[in-house]
């Protein structure tokens, strides 16, 4: 692709009155960090949008996966969800490493603040969701820890870890954005379609990936990546595309594995009654 024009630095969020609610705060942050639109001079899309277009078909398979629609309907089999949660919880360590590494490379405190706040959410509210849900679904900590990483979990963790340790800022942002933007996309669809009275292990996973606050996180990550993309040379852009495509492939394979993995298939679907050995 043609070199991108230089972009303005990511905008600093406006000061927020103390009386604003969380939805209002999230909306203000989303507006403050919203990615720039297409260049009026060239008509080219922002770098993040251009990247997504490189994997458009696979991206759509990820965000339209049956996992999300079944989660929203409350029809996702407990065995499938257990398999998914046991493996997905393994990513928290590598994901937080990657997010922290990205925060160490952004140039200013203004660039760092919202990412640090998101890191705190992942290590608190999101991590606690895994613990509570696995317990409610009958998975003891001992049985969960006895399950080895699936092949796709191993592959995805390796991508996060290697990118955190030796990747460029753009590569780090690309992997982070695939993880979060794809989840926001299916999360917003699931929020609109969700059945009433969902069990918390269905409903809270949707809540964590939709709404004004999470929208603001995606806008923040996109804004940083768009800024980086504007100054990359051709070699660096090709590397970002490679990493992006690998991450999208991992997301699709991870959803599929929740259905095909023997760990999911071997779990007795006992609902939330008693402890289940995997």
């Amino acid at each position: 692709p043609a070199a991108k024009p230089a972009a303005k630095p990511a905008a600093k969020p406006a000061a927020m009155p103390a009386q604003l609610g969380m939805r209002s705060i999230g909306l203000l942050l989303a507006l403050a960090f919203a990615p720039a639109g297409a260049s009026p001079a060239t008509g080219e899309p922002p770098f993040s949008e251009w990247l997504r277009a490189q994997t458009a078909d696979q991206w759509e398979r990820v965000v339209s996966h049956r996992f999300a629609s079944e989660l929203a309907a409350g029809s996702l089999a407990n065995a499938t969800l257990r398999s998914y949660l046991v493996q997905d919880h393994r990513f928290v360590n590598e994901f937080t490493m990657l997010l922290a590494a990205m925060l160490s490379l952004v140039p200013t405190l203004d660039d760092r603040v919202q990412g640090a706040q998101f890191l705190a959410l992942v290590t608190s509210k999101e991590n606690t969701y895994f613990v509570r849900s696995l317990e409610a679904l009958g998975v003891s900590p001992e049985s969960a820890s006895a399950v080895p990483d699936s092949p796709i979990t191993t592959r995805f963790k390796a991508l996060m870890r290697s990118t955190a340790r030796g990747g460029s800022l753009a590569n780090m942002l690309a992997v982070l954005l695939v993880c979060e933007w794809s989840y926001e996309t299916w999360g917003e669809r699931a929020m609109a379609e969700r059945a009433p009275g969902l069990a918390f292990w269905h409903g809270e996973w949707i809540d964590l990936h939709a709404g004004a606050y999470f929208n603001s996180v995606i806008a923040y990550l996109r804004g940083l990546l768009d800024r980086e993309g504007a100054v990359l040379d051709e070699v660096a852009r090709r590397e970002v595309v490679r990493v992006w495509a690998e991450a999208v492939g991992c997301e699709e394979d991870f959803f599929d594995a929740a259905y095909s993995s023997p760990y999911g298939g071997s779990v007795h679907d006992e609902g939330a009654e008693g402890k289940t050995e995997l």
Side-chain angles (χ1 to χ4, degrees), residues 7-253:
K8 294 181 179 179
K12 179 179 180 179
M16 295 175 288
Q19 70 269 25
L20 284 177
M22 286 304 298
R23 287 187 61 83
S24 298
I25 291 172
L27 179 58
L28 286 175
L29 287 170
L31 291 172
F33 283 102
S39 165
T42 66
E44 293 179 345
F47 186 61
S48 58
E49 191 68 52
W50 177 83
L51 273 173
R52 185 171 65 168
Q54 306 311 298
T55 55
D57 291 343
Q58 190 168 37
W59 179 274
E60 187 57 32
R61 292 198 300 271
V62 170
V63 301
S64 302
H65 200 279
R66 61 183 285 201
F67 180 93
S69 58
E70 291 174 6
L71 189 73
S75 62
L76 185 66
N78 285 346
T80 302
L81 184 57
R82 290 186 190 111
S83 178
Y84 170 90
L85 290 177
V86 166
Q87 297 294 326
D88 201 43
H89 196 197
R90 309 282 172 85
F91 293 129
V92 173
N93 184 55
E94 275 71 19
F95 182 86
T96 55
M97 285 175 56
L98 179 59
L99 182 53
M102 180 277 285
L103 292 174
S104 74
L105 292 184
V106 291
T108 71
L109 179 61
D110 288 341
D111 293 332
R112 200 165 287 124
V113 168
Q114 191 176 3
Q117 292 168 343
F118 181 54
L119 178 60
L121 182 144
V122 172
T123 54
S124 56
K125 188 174 182 179
E126 183 167 324
N127 186 59
T128 301
Y129 161 83
F130 283 107
V131 175
R132 292 168 53 238
S133 295
L134 287 169
E135 180 180 8
L137 288 165
V139 181
S140 69
E142 296 78 16
S143 62
S145 63
V147 177
D149 286 353
S150 68
I152 181 54
T153 298
T154 299
R155 192 172 107 221
F156 211 169
K157 285 171 63 174
L159 174 62
M160 293 181 190
R161 188 178 290 270
S162 64
T163 305
R165 288 179 169 173
S168 66
L169 175 57
N171 287 355
M172 293 178 187
L173 287 164
V175 176
L176 290 167
L177 190 56
V178 167
C179 295
E180 302 308 306
W181 195 8
S182 64
Y183 269 54
E184 180 207 33
T185 305
W186 71 251
E188 289 295 335
R189 295 177 183 179
M191 182 68 80
E193 300 168 359
R194 66 188 294 165
L198 289 178
F200 82 81
W201 48 86
H202 292 152
E204 288 187 19
W205 197 233
I206 297 170
D207 294 339
L208 282 166
H209 297 103
Y213 172 72
F214 196 62
N215 298 158
S216 76
V217 172
I218 306 311
Y220 159 76
L221 293 173
R222 288 190 63 192
L224 292 175
L225 183 55
D226 290 342
R227 189 176 67 189
E228 283 299 299
V231 298
L232 296 178
D233 61 24
E234 183 65 26
V235 173
R237 279 198 302 274
R238 284 200 298 269
E239 177 61 13
V240 176
V241 171
R242 183 193 67 78
V243 171
W244 174 278
E246 185 175 353
V248 174
C250 285
E251 288 289 0
E252 182 178 23
D253 291 348

